Amino acid sequence: EAQVTQNPRYLITVTGKKLTVTCSQNMNHEYMSWYRQDPGLGLRQIYYSMNVEVTDKGDVPEGYKVSRKEKRNFPLILESPSPNQTSLYFCASSLVGGVYEQYFGPGTRLTVT
Amino acid sequence: GIQVEQSPPDLILQEGANSTLRCNFSDSVNNLQWFHQNPWGQLINLFYIPSGTKQNGRLSATTVATERYSLLYISSSQTTDSGVYFCAVEYPDSSYKLIFGSGTRLLVRP
């Protein structure tokens, strides 16, 4: 089944404890992206990747890192999480950036205390 | 920047009723998608529809790109249709990010 998977789905952590949210797609998509969803602010792009080893900042990259060593994986890294990073996170992918449908993962609900 | 406006913001239906959700956007777009966010937060792709009309069961969508709007039709609504419906358009810059509207929150009562 074609899908985007994220792990973990739910995470409660403490300020400053490094964490990684994994994202994987099995559709051989070149483009992958991370969004966060917050009440009243909608979904905002954090980082995106056009292909392996090609990543760039979205609208809200501060406090996040990403890497794209393999085509299928695009992990989101929070080196020192803070409470303002409490949010619902979505990974998305599409065949190629632009003019193609984007597929979203199931979301990761992160709480930083 | 591109503005995406959805209406109505909230909608309450009795099971079995039909409804139309609207999405207006302010500029030419490459990509328009409709999503349903279920009560567990998952974003479910409904339609990829930059232009034209598509149907999938009780749902159908129409995008008139020249007039910068899209419509999502829900017929014979069911309680499982409840949730938030988002329209998202792709901004024509290099990041290919989707810009989401603020959504229509739908509640279908039994």
Side-chain angles (χ1 to χ4, degrees), chain A residues 61-78:
Chain A
E62 294 77 20
Y64 304 95
K65 285 175 58 176
V66 293
S67 68
R68 187 92 182 273
K69 293 183 169 54
E70 304 167 283
K71 199 173 194 178
R72 63 182 293 129
N73 296 323
F74 190 44
L76 180 69
I77 303 158
L78 284 72

Side-chain angles (χ1 to χ4, degrees), chain B residues 66-81:
Chain B
T66 53
E67 297 186 23
R68 298 179 183 167
Y69 73 88
S70 183
L71 302 174
L72 178 69
Y73 306 95
I74 304 174
S75 64
S76 304
S77 58
Q78 300 176 358
T79 56
T80 51
D81 294 332

Side-chain angles (χ1 to χ4, degrees), chain B residues 39-50:
Chain B
W40 296 271
Q42 188 170 359
L43 281 170
I44 300 165
N45 291 46
L46 297 177
F47 293 102
Y48 168 72
I49 187 164

Side-chain angles (χ1 to χ4, degrees), chain A residues 13-49:
Chain A
T13 189
V14 297
T15 299
K17 185 176 181 181
K18 181 180 178 179
L19 66 92
T20 299
V21 183
T22 65
C23 172
S24 184
Q25 49 90 8
N26 63 1
M27 296 171 277
N28 203 35
H29 285 174
E30 291 187 357
Y31 177 86
M32 298 185 75
S33 179
W34 277 102
Y35 295 82
R36 60 178 288 175
Q37 184 180 23
D38 302 289
L41 297 175
L43 277 88
R44 296 176 290 169
Q45 190 185 54
I46 303 171
Y47 269 94
Y48 66 97
S49 170

Side-chain angles (χ1 to χ4, degrees), chain B residues 21-42:
Chain B
L21 283 57
R22 187 177 180 101
C23 172
N24 292 332
F25 44 95
S26 59
D27 207 342
S28 299
V29 296
N30 293 330
N31 176 354
L32 187 146
Q33 293 182 236
W34 283 96
F35 296 90
H36 174 216
Q37 188 164 38
N38 64 22
W40 296 271
Q42 188 170 359

Side-chain angles (χ1 to χ4, degrees), chain B residues 77-96:
Chain B
S77 58
Q78 300 176 358
T79 56
T80 51
D81 294 332
S82 297
V84 184
Y85 289 81
F86 289 103
C87 163
V89 302
E90 188 175 282
Y91 188 64
D93 69 359
S94 60
S95 75
Y96 304 109

